[in-house]
Amino acid sequence: MKDILKKLPKIELHCHLDGSVRPETMYELLLEEGEDMEDISLEQFEKMAKVVDECNSLVEYLERFSYPLKVMQRKENIERITYELLEDLSKQNVKYVEIRFAPFLFMEKGLSFDESVESVLKGMERAKGDFNILSNAILVCMRHESVEKSIELVEKGEKFLGKGVVAVDLAGAEEGFPPENHKEAFDLAYKKGYNITVHAGETGRYENITKSIELLHAERIGHGIAAIKSPEVMELIKNKNIFLEMCPISNLQTKAVESLDEYPIKEFLDNDILVTVNTDNTTVSNTSLDKEYELLIDGLGFSIEDIIKLIKNSIEATFLPKEEKAHLKRIIENELKNI
Ligand SMILES: O=c1[nH]cnc2c1ncn2[C@H]1C[C@H](O)[C@@H](CO)O1
Ligand SMILES: [Zn+2]
């Protein structure tokens, strides 16, 4: 089974760049930055960078991002981290990935907005040539920031639209920062032709899913687990053909669900909801698409056919223009024929 999983052509739609930095690269760059790491071995650092099992909430999970963000303040580091992530994904036969990041988080030591976005795009371009992996970027607005900040992101990101950037997202701690706070920014993004995905229903609030769809124009929802609590929200997702970007291992770590038995992915699929499966953060969650699929197979009885269905949903869920989506579909279907 593991061999088949490895061979499957895959798509990753929900992957945060800052949560997916190779630990050894982060360690090397932290030393370069003069961070006091004298008493910390690489092995110890790996445990600090990842969520092992002592995480109780999304807020605790988000604390892990302070390490990567310390080293993502330089153009060359951002480009390298992007390139290495794509190299790692290509080795797992990932054919296409949408990488998300919040440009403002890379601008604490003087980088401009354009420099921070361009560094990611350069890493993506170089990886495309070297590893034959396709990618696009999603720009993330942070929920705790002001709507003015989100508007600035939408305005400054516009020149990259269709040139490596495909969408905007809203992420960060969900509790206390409802989607409507950012409505003006997402109205503008919608007008400007961005695709829209929003993290919602990750910490129990199903009303945030409805608001993200109805007020923020979301076509995809990050996580969306709380939908299971409301038949109305399930109906809305289904009727509007909203794709869910589910990230099972991350959801277990943030205690979005208590145990895998409570994970609602089967109920969603049985209700014809368009589910995709993703990693969220390969380093912070210590995961990969293969591990996510393995969990579904070993823990929830999924078959390889079920996994292939999820991959096919991911093709449809991509924010690619029609022709590029058809091209990706051909690549995936050709490989699936030989499995
Ligand atoms: O699963 C998540 N939920 C909400 N916010 C998240 C999640 N994973 C990462 N983030 C945040 C932390 C990062 O610094 C930010 C941009 O990638 O997005
Ligand atoms: Zn996320």
Side-chain angles (χ1 to χ4, degrees), residues 14 16-19 58 61-62 65 69 100-102 105 140 142-143 169-174 199 202 223 247 250-251 254 280-281:
H14 189 129
H16 295 256
L17 183 60
D18 47 351
L58 175 59
Y61 181 91
L62 293 175
F65 289 80
L69 288 170
R100 61 187 72 196
F101 64 99
L105 296 178
V140 177
M142 297 302 293
R143 321 182 83 98
D169 175 28
L170 184 63
E174 196 173 343
H199 281 70
E202 186 179 5
H223 306 292
C247 310
S250 163
N251 296 152
T254 61
D280 210 9
N281 297 285

PDB file of all heavy atoms in Angstrom, residues 14 16-19 58 61-62 65 69 100-102 105 140 142-143 169-174 199 202 223 247 250-251 254 280-281, ligand 1:
ATOM      1  N   HIS A  14      -2.990  23.290   0.256  1.00  0.00           N
ATOM      2  CA  HIS A  14      -2.970  24.076   1.497  1.00  0.00           C
ATOM      3  C   HIS A  14      -1.655  23.806   2.215  1.00  0.00           C
ATOM      4  O   HIS A  14      -1.533  22.872   3.014  1.00  0.00           O
ATOM      5  CB  HIS A  14      -4.175  23.697   2.376  1.00  0.00           C
ATOM      6  CG  HIS A  14      -4.367  24.595   3.555  1.00  0.00           C
ATOM      7  ND1 HIS A  14      -5.554  25.202   3.867  1.00  0.00           N
ATOM      8  CD2 HIS A  14      -3.500  25.029   4.509  1.00  0.00           C
ATOM      9  CE1 HIS A  14      -5.431  25.941   4.960  1.00  0.00           C
ATOM     10  NE2 HIS A  14      -4.163  25.851   5.367  1.00  0.00           N
ATOM     11  N   HIS A  16       1.529  26.098   4.027  1.00  0.00           N
ATOM     12  CA  HIS A  16       2.123  27.396   4.400  1.00  0.00           C
ATOM     13  C   HIS A  16       3.639  27.302   4.247  1.00  0.00           C
ATOM     14  O   HIS A  16       4.266  26.403   4.822  1.00  0.00           O
ATOM     15  CB  HIS A  16       1.800  27.738   5.855  1.00  0.00           C
ATOM     16  CG  HIS A  16       0.342  27.962   6.116  1.00  0.00           C
ATOM     17  ND1 HIS A  16      -0.188  29.225   6.287  1.00  0.00           N
ATOM     18  CD2 HIS A  16      -0.695  27.095   6.239  1.00  0.00           C
ATOM     19  CE1 HIS A  16      -1.491  29.118   6.528  1.00  0.00           C
ATOM     20  NE2 HIS A  16      -1.828  27.836   6.496  1.00  0.00           N
ATOM     21  N   LEU A  17       4.213  28.257   3.539  1.00  0.00           N
ATOM     22  CA  LEU A  17       5.663  28.253   3.327  1.00  0.00           C
ATOM     23  C   LEU A  17       6.426  28.334   4.649  1.00  0.00           C
ATOM     24  O   LEU A  17       7.378  27.577   4.877  1.00  0.00           O
ATOM     25  CB  LEU A  17       6.039  29.448   2.425  1.00  0.00           C
ATOM     26  CG  LEU A  17       7.504  29.569   2.031  1.00  0.00           C
ATOM     27  CD1 LEU A  17       7.980  28.339   1.254  1.00  0.00           C
ATOM     28  CD2 LEU A  17       7.733  30.838   1.209  1.00  0.00           C
ATOM     29  N   ASP A  18       6.002  29.242   5.530  1.00  0.00           N
ATOM     30  CA  ASP A  18       6.752  29.411   6.787  1.00  0.00           C
ATOM     31  C   ASP A  18       6.604  28.214   7.728  1.00  0.00           C
ATOM     32  O   ASP A  18       7.453  28.004   8.592  1.00  0.00           O
ATOM     33  CB  ASP A  18       6.389  30.726   7.512  1.00  0.00           C
ATOM     34  CG  ASP A  18       4.899  30.994   7.633  1.00  0.00           C
ATOM     35  OD1 ASP A  18       4.100  30.271   7.014  1.00  0.00           O
ATOM     36  OD2 ASP A  18       4.513  31.923   8.359  1.00  0.00           O
ATOM     37  N   GLY A  19       5.599  27.404   7.527  1.00  0.00           N
ATOM     38  CA  GLY A  19       5.441  26.197   8.348  1.00  0.00           C
ATOM     39  C   GLY A  19       6.062  24.977   7.709  1.00  0.00           C
ATOM     40  O   GLY A  19       5.930  23.862   8.213  1.00  0.00           O
ATOM     41  N   LEU A  58      -4.956  25.759  18.575  1.00  0.00           N
ATOM     42  CA  LEU A  58      -4.408  26.436  17.400  1.00  0.00           C
ATOM     43  C   LEU A  58      -3.425  27.524  17.827  1.00  0.00           C
ATOM     44  O   LEU A  58      -2.376  27.699  17.211  1.00  0.00           O
ATOM     45  CB  LEU A  58      -5.553  27.037  16.568  1.00  0.00           C
ATOM     46  CG  LEU A  58      -5.152  27.876  15.355  1.00  0.00           C
ATOM     47  CD1 LEU A  58      -4.316  27.069  14.358  1.00  0.00           C
ATOM     48  CD2 LEU A  58      -6.384  28.443  14.641  1.00  0.00           C
ATOM     49  N   TYR A  61      -0.207  26.011  18.602  1.00  0.00           N
ATOM     50  CA  TYR A  61       0.366  25.541  17.321  1.00  0.00           C
ATOM     51  C   TYR A  61       1.056  26.698  16.599  1.00  0.00           C
ATOM     52  O   TYR A  61       2.164  26.571  16.092  1.00  0.00           O
ATOM     53  CB  TYR A  61      -0.791  24.970  16.488  1.00  0.00           C
ATOM     54  CG  TYR A  61      -0.445  24.408  15.126  1.00  0.00           C
ATOM     55  CD1 TYR A  61      -0.127  23.055  14.970  1.00  0.00           C
ATOM     56  CD2 TYR A  61      -0.489  25.204  13.985  1.00  0.00           C
ATOM     57  CE1 TYR A  61       0.150  22.527  13.712  1.00  0.00           C
ATOM     58  CE2 TYR A  61      -0.222  24.677  12.730  1.00  0.00           C
ATOM     59  CZ  TYR A  61       0.095  23.341  12.598  1.00  0.00           C
ATOM     60  OH  TYR A  61       0.363  22.824  11.344  1.00  0.00           O
ATOM     61  N   LEU A  62       0.410  27.852  16.610  1.00  0.00           N
ATOM     62  CA  LEU A  62       0.936  29.014  15.871  1.00  0.00           C
ATOM     63  C   LEU A  62       2.221  29.566  16.502  1.00  0.00           C
ATOM     64  O   LEU A  62       2.975  30.282  15.832  1.00  0.00           O
ATOM     65  CB  LEU A  62      -0.138  30.107  15.759  1.00  0.00           C
ATOM     66  CG  LEU A  62      -1.354  29.736  14.886  1.00  0.00           C
ATOM     67  CD1 LEU A  62      -2.409  30.829  14.940  1.00  0.00           C
ATOM     68  CD2 LEU A  62      -0.948  29.479  13.442  1.00  0.00           C
ATOM     69  N   PHE A  65       5.712  29.204  14.737  1.00  0.00           N
ATOM     70  CA  PHE A  65       6.115  29.978  13.552  1.00  0.00           C
ATOM     71  C   PHE A  65       7.152  31.053  13.847  1.00  0.00           C
ATOM     72  O   PHE A  65       7.657  31.696  12.937  1.00  0.00           O
ATOM     73  CB  PHE A  65       4.879  30.568  12.857  1.00  0.00           C
ATOM     74  CG  PHE A  65       4.057  29.507  12.179  1.00  0.00           C
ATOM     75  CD1 PHE A  65       3.181  28.708  12.918  1.00  0.00           C
ATOM     76  CD2 PHE A  65       4.185  29.262  10.833  1.00  0.00           C
ATOM     77  CE1 PHE A  65       2.446  27.691  12.326  1.00  0.00           C
ATOM     78  CE2 PHE A  65       3.454  28.248  10.217  1.00  0.00           C
ATOM     79  CZ  PHE A  65       2.579  27.469  10.972  1.00  0.00           C
ATOM     80  N   LEU A  69      10.075  32.423  10.936  1.00  0.00           N
ATOM     81  CA  LEU A  69       9.956  33.834  10.535  1.00  0.00           C
ATOM     82  C   LEU A  69      11.229  34.626  10.835  1.00  0.00           C
ATOM     83  O   LEU A  69      11.508  35.614  10.157  1.00  0.00           O
ATOM     84  CB  LEU A  69       8.713  34.462  11.175  1.00  0.00           C
ATOM     85  CG  LEU A  69       7.406  33.933  10.541  1.00  0.00           C
ATOM     86  CD1 LEU A  69       6.195  34.367  11.341  1.00  0.00           C
ATOM     87  CD2 LEU A  69       7.274  34.380   9.080  1.00  0.00           C
ATOM     88  N   ARG A 100       1.255  29.003   0.232  1.00  0.00           N
ATOM     89  CA  ARG A 100       0.724  30.266   0.786  1.00  0.00           C
ATOM     90  C   ARG A 100       1.689  30.883   1.790  1.00  0.00           C
ATOM     91  O   ARG A 100       2.424  30.181   2.481  1.00  0.00           O
ATOM     92  CB  ARG A 100      -0.672  30.061   1.364  1.00  0.00           C
ATOM     93  CG  ARG A 100      -0.779  29.082   2.482  1.00  0.00           C
ATOM     94  CD  ARG A 100      -2.245  28.826   2.851  1.00  0.00           C
ATOM     95  NE  ARG A 100      -2.958  28.033   1.860  1.00  0.00           N
ATOM     96  CZ  ARG A 100      -4.282  27.948   1.795  1.00  0.00           C
ATOM     97  NH1 ARG A 100      -5.052  28.589   2.647  1.00  0.00           N
ATOM     98  NH2 ARG A 100      -4.868  27.201   0.881  1.00  0.00           N
ATOM     99  N   PHE A 101       1.660  32.193   1.837  1.00  0.00           N
ATOM    100  CA  PHE A 101       2.524  32.915   2.792  1.00  0.00           C
ATOM    101  C   PHE A 101       1.974  34.323   2.970  1.00  0.00           C
ATOM    102  O   PHE A 101       1.269  34.843   2.108  1.00  0.00           O
ATOM    103  CB  PHE A 101       3.977  32.973   2.284  1.00  0.00           C
ATOM    104  CG  PHE A 101       4.150  33.736   1.006  1.00  0.00           C
ATOM    105  CD1 PHE A 101       4.598  35.049   1.029  1.00  0.00           C
ATOM    106  CD2 PHE A 101       3.854  33.151  -0.218  1.00  0.00           C
ATOM    107  CE1 PHE A 101       4.743  35.772  -0.158  1.00  0.00           C
ATOM    108  CE2 PHE A 101       3.997  33.861  -1.404  1.00  0.00           C
ATOM    109  CZ  PHE A 101       4.435  35.168  -1.367  1.00  0.00           C
ATOM    110  N   ALA A 102       2.329  34.922   4.119  1.00  0.00           N
ATOM    111  CA  ALA A 102       1.890  36.292   4.421  1.00  0.00           C
ATOM    112  C   ALA A 102       3.072  37.232   4.169  1.00  0.00           C
ATOM    113  O   ALA A 102       4.007  37.262   4.977  1.00  0.00           O
ATOM    114  CB  ALA A 102       1.434  36.374   5.873  1.00  0.00           C
ATOM    115  N   LEU A 105       4.747  39.327   6.948  1.00  0.00           N
ATOM    116  CA  LEU A 105       5.552  38.664   7.983  1.00  0.00           C
ATOM    117  C   LEU A 105       7.021  38.559   7.590  1.00  0.00           C
ATOM    118  O   LEU A 105       7.875  38.272   8.416  1.00  0.00           O
ATOM    119  CB  LEU A 105       4.992  37.268   8.291  1.00  0.00           C
ATOM    120  CG  LEU A 105       3.589  37.209   8.893  1.00  0.00           C
ATOM    121  CD1 LEU A 105       3.151  35.769   9.108  1.00  0.00           C
ATOM    122  CD2 LEU A 105       3.542  37.971  10.219  1.00  0.00           C
ATOM    123  N   VAL A 140      -1.446  35.553   1.936  1.00  0.00           N
ATOM    124  CA  VAL A 140      -2.240  35.393   3.157  1.00  0.00           C
ATOM    125  C   VAL A 140      -2.382  36.722   3.914  1.00  0.00           C
ATOM    126  O   VAL A 140      -1.394  37.373   4.248  1.00  0.00           O
ATOM    127  CB  VAL A 140      -1.580  34.360   4.102  1.00  0.00           C
ATOM    128  CG1 VAL A 140      -2.360  34.234   5.406  1.00  0.00           C
ATOM    129  CG2 VAL A 140      -1.448  32.996   3.420  1.00  0.00           C
ATOM    130  N   MET A 142      -3.544  38.297   7.525  1.00  0.00           N
ATOM    131  CA  MET A 142      -3.621  37.746   8.879  1.00  0.00           C
ATOM    132  C   MET A 142      -4.843  38.317   9.604  1.00  0.00           C
ATOM    133  O   MET A 142      -5.069  39.530   9.612  1.00  0.00           O
ATOM    134  CB  MET A 142      -2.333  38.063   9.650  1.00  0.00           C
ATOM    135  CG  MET A 142      -1.075  37.425   9.047  1.00  0.00           C
ATOM    136  SD  MET A 142      -1.113  35.616   8.892  1.00  0.00           S
ATOM    137  CE  MET A 142      -1.114  35.099  10.607  1.00  0.00           C
ATOM    138  N   ARG A 143      -5.604  37.439  10.242  1.00  0.00           N
ATOM    139  CA  ARG A 143      -6.877  37.844  10.858  1.00  0.00           C
ATOM    140  C   ARG A 143      -6.712  38.907  11.941  1.00  0.00           C
ATOM    141  O   ARG A 143      -7.581  39.755  12.098  1.00  0.00           O
ATOM    142  CB  ARG A 143      -7.586  36.659  11.537  1.00  0.00           C
ATOM    143  CG  ARG A 143      -7.534  35.348  10.849  1.00  0.00           C
ATOM    144  CD  ARG A 143      -8.330  34.324  11.644  1.00  0.00           C
ATOM    145  NE  ARG A 143      -9.713  34.456  11.298  1.00  0.00           N
ATOM    146  CZ  ARG A 143     -10.340  33.676  10.406  1.00  0.00           C
ATOM    147  NH1 ARG A 143      -9.702  32.697   9.818  1.00  0.00           N
ATOM    148  NH2 ARG A 143     -11.603  33.876  10.126  1.00  0.00           N
ATOM    149  N   ASP A 169      -5.925  34.596   0.932  1.00  0.00           N
ATOM    150  CA  ASP A 169      -6.410  33.750   2.030  1.00  0.00           C
ATOM    151  C   ASP A 169      -6.472  34.624   3.283  1.00  0.00           C
ATOM    152  O   ASP A 169      -5.894  35.716   3.324  1.00  0.00           O
ATOM    153  CB  ASP A 169      -5.410  32.592   2.216  1.00  0.00           C
ATOM    154  CG  ASP A 169      -5.707  31.689   3.414  1.00  0.00           C
ATOM    155  OD1 ASP A 169      -6.876  31.558   3.811  1.00  0.00           O
ATOM    156  OD2 ASP A 169      -4.737  31.096   3.953  1.00  0.00           O
ATOM    157  N   LEU A 170      -7.169  34.118   4.293  1.00  0.00           N
ATOM    158  CA  LEU A 170      -7.192  34.761   5.615  1.00  0.00           C
ATOM    159  C   LEU A 170      -6.817  33.680   6.630  1.00  0.00           C
ATOM    160  O   LEU A 170      -7.468  32.638   6.676  1.00  0.00           O
ATOM    161  CB  LEU A 170      -8.598  35.312   5.891  1.00  0.00           C
ATOM    162  CG  LEU A 170      -8.810  36.103   7.174  1.00  0.00           C
ATOM    163  CD1 LEU A 170      -7.968  37.376   7.192  1.00  0.00           C
ATOM    164  CD2 LEU A 170     -10.300  36.480   7.322  1.00  0.00           C
ATOM    165  N   ALA A 171      -5.733  33.921   7.408  1.00  0.00           N
ATOM    166  CA  ALA A 171      -5.266  32.886   8.351  1.00  0.00           C
ATOM    167  C   ALA A 171      -4.910  33.497   9.694  1.00  0.00           C
ATOM    168  O   ALA A 171      -4.988  34.715   9.874  1.00  0.00           O
ATOM    169  CB  ALA A 171      -4.057  32.150   7.766  1.00  0.00           C
ATOM    170  N   GLY A 172      -4.493  32.642  10.610  1.00  0.00           N
ATOM    171  CA  GLY A 172      -4.135  33.075  11.966  1.00  0.00           C
ATOM    172  C   GLY A 172      -5.174  32.595  12.970  1.00  0.00           C
ATOM    173  O   GLY A 172      -6.094  31.847  12.614  1.00  0.00           O
ATOM    174  N   ALA A 173      -5.045  33.036  14.210  1.00  0.00           N
ATOM    175  CA  ALA A 173      -5.960  32.596  15.268  1.00  0.00           C
ATOM    176  C   ALA A 173      -7.393  32.988  14.916  1.00  0.00           C
ATOM    177  O   ALA A 173      -7.665  34.137  14.586  1.00  0.00           O
ATOM    178  CB  ALA A 173      -5.540  33.226  16.592  1.00  0.00           C
ATOM    179  N   GLU A 174      -8.297  32.017  14.968  1.00  0.00           N
ATOM    180  CA  GLU A 174      -9.681  32.273  14.510  1.00  0.00           C
ATOM    181  C   GLU A 174     -10.538  32.906  15.614  1.00  0.00           C
ATOM    182  O   GLU A 174     -11.392  33.761  15.329  1.00  0.00           O
ATOM    183  CB  GLU A 174     -10.293  30.939  14.048  1.00  0.00           C
ATOM    184  CG  GLU A 174     -11.542  31.104  13.197  1.00  0.00           C
ATOM    185  CD  GLU A 174     -12.038  29.795  12.605  1.00  0.00           C
ATOM    186  OE1 GLU A 174     -11.281  28.792  12.572  1.00  0.00           O
ATOM    187  OE2 GLU A 174     -13.207  29.773  12.182  1.00  0.00           O
ATOM    188  N   HIS A 199      -9.421  30.417   5.751  1.00  0.00           N
ATOM    189  CA  HIS A 199      -9.410  29.475   6.874  1.00  0.00           C
ATOM    190  C   HIS A 199     -10.690  29.719   7.678  1.00  0.00           C
ATOM    191  O   HIS A 199     -10.926  30.858   8.112  1.00  0.00           O
ATOM    192  CB  HIS A 199      -8.240  29.765   7.818  1.00  0.00           C
ATOM    193  CG  HIS A 199      -6.909  29.265   7.370  1.00  0.00           C
ATOM    194  ND1 HIS A 199      -6.221  29.790   6.316  1.00  0.00           N
ATOM    195  CD2 HIS A 199      -6.124  28.272   7.869  1.00  0.00           C
ATOM    196  CE1 HIS A 199      -5.066  29.154   6.185  1.00  0.00           C
ATOM    197  NE2 HIS A 199      -4.978  28.240   7.109  1.00  0.00           N
ATOM    198  N   GLU A 202     -12.108  26.106  11.832  1.00  0.00           N
ATOM    199  CA  GLU A 202     -10.986  25.273  12.291  1.00  0.00           C
ATOM    200  C   GLU A 202     -11.073  25.053  13.800  1.00  0.00           C
ATOM    201  O   GLU A 202     -10.552  24.074  14.314  1.00  0.00           O
ATOM    202  CB  GLU A 202      -9.662  25.966  11.905  1.00  0.00           C
ATOM    203  CG  GLU A 202      -8.408  25.150  12.183  1.00  0.00           C
ATOM    204  CD  GLU A 202      -7.118  25.863  11.772  1.00  0.00           C
ATOM    205  OE1 GLU A 202      -7.178  27.032  11.351  1.00  0.00           O
ATOM    206  OE2 GLU A 202      -6.052  25.243  11.887  1.00  0.00           O
ATOM    207  N   HIS A 223      -9.747  23.977   6.054  1.00  0.00           N
ATOM    208  CA  HIS A 223     -10.197  23.116   7.165  1.00  0.00           C
ATOM    209  C   HIS A 223     -11.713  22.883   7.121  1.00  0.00           C
ATOM    210  O   HIS A 223     -12.144  21.861   6.631  1.00  0.00           O
ATOM    211  CB  HIS A 223      -9.758  23.655   8.533  1.00  0.00           C
ATOM    212  CG  HIS A 223      -8.277  23.903   8.603  1.00  0.00           C
ATOM    213  ND1 HIS A 223      -7.365  22.890   8.565  1.00  0.00           N
ATOM    214  CD2 HIS A 223      -7.548  25.055   8.674  1.00  0.00           C
ATOM    215  CE1 HIS A 223      -6.146  23.398   8.623  1.00  0.00           C
ATOM    216  NE2 HIS A 223      -6.228  24.711   8.678  1.00  0.00           N
ATOM    217  N   CYS A 247      -6.886  19.153   6.434  1.00  0.00           N
ATOM    218  CA  CYS A 247      -5.495  18.876   6.815  1.00  0.00           C
ATOM    219  C   CYS A 247      -5.553  18.030   8.087  1.00  0.00           C
ATOM    220  O   CYS A 247      -5.402  18.565   9.198  1.00  0.00           O
ATOM    221  CB  CYS A 247      -4.747  20.184   7.078  1.00  0.00           C
ATOM    222  SG  CYS A 247      -4.913  21.416   5.764  1.00  0.00           S
ATOM    223  N   SER A 250      -2.753  18.165  11.070  1.00  0.00           N
ATOM    224  CA  SER A 250      -2.782  19.482  11.714  1.00  0.00           C
ATOM    225  C   SER A 250      -4.032  19.608  12.598  1.00  0.00           C
ATOM    226  O   SER A 250      -3.976  20.095  13.726  1.00  0.00           O
ATOM    227  CB  SER A 250      -2.768  20.576  10.640  1.00  0.00           C
ATOM    228  OG  SER A 250      -3.166  21.808  11.168  1.00  0.00           O
ATOM    229  N   ASN A 251      -5.157  19.150  12.087  1.00  0.00           N
ATOM    230  CA  ASN A 251      -6.413  19.261  12.836  1.00  0.00           C
ATOM    231  C   ASN A 251      -6.400  18.455  14.125  1.00  0.00           C
ATOM    232  O   ASN A 251      -7.000  18.836  15.119  1.00  0.00           O
ATOM    233  CB  ASN A 251      -7.608  18.821  11.969  1.00  0.00           C
ATOM    234  CG  ASN A 251      -7.828  19.712  10.759  1.00  0.00           C
ATOM    235  OD1 ASN A 251      -8.344  19.274   9.734  1.00  0.00           O
ATOM    236  ND2 ASN A 251      -7.420  20.973  10.868  1.00  0.00           N
ATOM    237  N   THR A 254      -4.060  20.548  16.587  1.00  0.00           N
ATOM    238  CA  THR A 254      -4.636  21.769  17.166  1.00  0.00           C
ATOM    239  C   THR A 254      -5.874  21.461  18.005  1.00  0.00           C
ATOM    240  O   THR A 254      -6.519  22.383  18.507  1.00  0.00           O
ATOM    241  CB  THR A 254      -5.037  22.787  16.066  1.00  0.00           C
ATOM    242  OG1 THR A 254      -6.030  22.171  15.235  1.00  0.00           O
ATOM    243  CG2 THR A 254      -3.848  23.213  15.225  1.00  0.00           C
ATOM    244  N   ASP A 280      -1.081  21.379   5.394  1.00  0.00           N
ATOM    245  CA  ASP A 280      -1.061  22.616   6.199  1.00  0.00           C
ATOM    246  C   ASP A 280       0.385  23.095   6.366  1.00  0.00           C
ATOM    247  O   ASP A 280       0.750  24.142   5.839  1.00  0.00           O
ATOM    248  CB  ASP A 280      -1.721  22.429   7.568  1.00  0.00           C
ATOM    249  CG  ASP A 280      -2.351  23.716   8.091  1.00  0.00           C
ATOM    250  OD1 ASP A 280      -2.415  24.695   7.327  1.00  0.00           O
ATOM    251  OD2 ASP A 280      -2.781  23.737   9.255  1.00  0.00           O
ATOM    252  N   ASN A 281       1.188  22.339   7.125  1.00  0.00           N
ATOM    253  CA  ASN A 281       2.566  22.762   7.396  1.00  0.00           C
ATOM    254  C   ASN A 281       3.439  21.517   7.512  1.00  0.00           C
ATOM    255  O   ASN A 281       3.345  20.807   8.521  1.00  0.00           O
ATOM    256  CB  ASN A 281       2.609  23.537   8.715  1.00  0.00           C
ATOM    257  CG  ASN A 281       1.778  24.809   8.653  1.00  0.00           C
ATOM    258  OD1 ASN A 281       2.170  25.794   8.050  1.00  0.00           O
ATOM    259  ND2 ASN A 281       0.601  24.765   9.263  1.00  0.00           N
TER     260      ASN A 281
HETATM  261  O1  LIG B   1      -3.783  25.954  10.313  1.00  0.00           O
HETATM  262  C1  LIG B   1      -3.608  27.169  10.406  1.00  0.00           C
HETATM  263  N1  LIG B   1      -4.620  27.963  10.809  1.00  0.00           N
HETATM  264  C2  LIG B   1      -4.503  29.312  10.909  1.00  0.00           C
HETATM  265  N2  LIG B   1      -3.374  29.947  10.635  1.00  0.00           N
HETATM  266  C3  LIG B   1      -2.309  29.211  10.252  1.00  0.00           C
HETATM  267  C4  LIG B   1      -2.368  27.828  10.117  1.00  0.00           C
HETATM  268  N3  LIG B   1      -1.151  27.381   9.724  1.00  0.00           N
HETATM  269  C5  LIG B   1      -0.384  28.463   9.606  1.00  0.00           C
HETATM  270  N4  LIG B   1      -1.068  29.562   9.939  1.00  0.00           N
HETATM  271  C6  LIG B   1      -0.592  30.947   9.984  1.00  0.00           C
HETATM  272  C7  LIG B   1       0.801  31.066  10.603  1.00  0.00           C
HETATM  273  C8  LIG B   1       1.651  31.585   9.502  1.00  0.00           C
HETATM  274  O2  LIG B   1       2.647  32.470   9.947  1.00  0.00           O
HETATM  275  C9  LIG B   1       0.644  32.287   8.593  1.00  0.00           C
HETATM  276  C10 LIG B   1       1.067  32.516   7.172  1.00  0.00           C
HETATM  277  O3  LIG B   1       1.543  31.370   6.552  1.00  0.00           O
HETATM  278  O4  LIG B   1      -0.497  31.454   8.675  1.00  0.00           O
END
